[in-house]
């Protein structure tokens, strides 16, 4: 069964350093999402792509976060500089619309710890 | 602001007991998904409900979508320790593409 791939699974960094996360969605899924999840809470949408275009980045802290999906397939989320409050799980998801219904499938996530 | 509120927030029960988790909103949703998430992993899709009043069963799990498509419930019969996890409801509000997630219910089933 096709899955969303993410790497790395774990990342430890010091504050003020740059970090990058990679996501490869399920083949054929045009929509890709990046979420941040604080322990015990539901995921919070950071950015949503439709193919290579950003359709929603209203919750993305653009002073330090950037995301791209250049060829409309895989995607990279970058944080520069990282801050202590960025410690969280970063989840990537992709979706395919069938019969008018979008269902998201998630990757395993990247657990970021900022020291 | 569109919200999906889940209740209860935490639930600890003994193996074999039944339980129901609720997902409520003041907004209409075109569909709702239920996910289970284990520590350190991404959410895993359990079910999608689309039609108001729809009931779907997945082994011991029964999902219901409210008639007005503003709420949903998840009922687990004879809970097992393997059911332990964070249960999340999520979906796009009607007429939008924007997905929102519920506040989550953390379930612990004790052997």
């Amino acid at each position: 069964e096709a899955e969303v791939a993410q790497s790395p699974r774990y990342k430890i960094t010091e504050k003020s350093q740059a970090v990058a996360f990679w996501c490869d969605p399920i083949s054929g899924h045009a929509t890709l999402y990046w979420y941040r999840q604080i322990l015990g809470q539901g995921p919070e949408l950071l950015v949503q792509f439709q193919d290579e275009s950003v359709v929603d980045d209203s919750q993305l802290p653009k002073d330090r976060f950037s995301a791209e999906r250049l060829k409309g397939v895989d995607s990279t989320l970058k944080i520069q500089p990282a801050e202590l409050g960025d410690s969280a799980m970063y989840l990537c998801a992709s979706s395919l619309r069938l019969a008018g219904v979008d269902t998201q499938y998630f990757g395993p996530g990247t657990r970021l710890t900022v020291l | 602001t569109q919200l999906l509120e889940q209740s209860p927030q935490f639930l600890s029960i003994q193996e074999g007991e039944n339980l129901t988790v609720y997902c409520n909103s003041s907004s209409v949703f075109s569909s709702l998904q239920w996910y289970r998430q284990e520590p350190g992993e991404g959410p895993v899709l359990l079910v999608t409900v689309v039609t108001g009043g729809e009931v779907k069963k997945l082994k011991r799990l029964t999902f219901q979508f409210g008639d007005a498509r503003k709420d949903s419930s998840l009922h687990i019969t004879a809970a097992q320790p393997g059911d332990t996890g964070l249960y999340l409801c999520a979906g796009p509000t009607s007429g939008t593409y924007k997905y929102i997630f519920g506040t989550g219910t953390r379930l612990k089933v004790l052997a």
Side-chain angles (χ1 to χ4, degrees), chain B residues 32-106:
Chain B
L32 268 181
Q33 284 77 45
W34 282 92
Y35 296 85
R36 179 170 65 217
Q37 185 177 22
E38 298 187 16
E41 301 293 330
V44 174
L45 179 68
L46 297 174
V47 77
T48 296
V49 287
V50 179
T51 306
E54 182 177 5
V55 177
K56 281 192 173 180
K57 291 192 174 183
L58 183 66
K59 297 182 180 178
R60 295 176 293 100
L61 279 60
T62 301
F63 304 85
Q64 186 164 7
F65 201 11
D67 291 340
R69 292 185 289 133
K70 293 183 178 182
D71 56 86
S72 181
S73 64
L74 159 59
H75 182 78
I76 301 179
T77 303
Q80 298 177 359
D83 296 326
T84 293
L86 178 67
Y87 287 81
L88 295 161
C89 61
T93 53
S94 184
T96 76
Y97 57 80
K98 188 158 186 169
Y99 240 74
I100 60 172
F101 273 82
T103 47
T105 293
R106 188 165 294 282

Side-chain angles (χ1 to χ4, degrees), chain A residues 33-104:
Chain A
Y33 313 78
W34 283 101
Y35 288 91
R36 177 170 57 190
Q37 186 178 29
I38 305 298
L39 190 64
Q41 298 180 16
E44 173 195 9
L45 180 68
L46 293 175
V47 62
Q48 178 179 342
F49 289 92
Q50 183 68 27
D51 299 310
E52 66 275 8
S53 300
V54 173
V55 297
D56 188 345
D57 63 357
S58 57
Q59 300 302 312
L60 187 72
K62 298 181 188 64
D63 57 336
R64 298 184 300 108
F65 286 64
S66 63
E68 60 183 17
R69 193 184 183 198
L70 293 176
K71 297 184 178 180
V73 181
D74 59 338
S75 176
T76 303
L77 177 69
K78 297 179 181 178
I79 309 175
Q80 182 173 19
E83 295 181 353
L84 295 177
D86 296 332
S87 294
M89 174 76 93
Y90 289 83
L91 295 164
C92 179
S94 67
S95 71
L96 180 67
R97 174 161 285 222
L98 288 175
V101 178
D102 276 304
T103 299
Q104 295 192 20

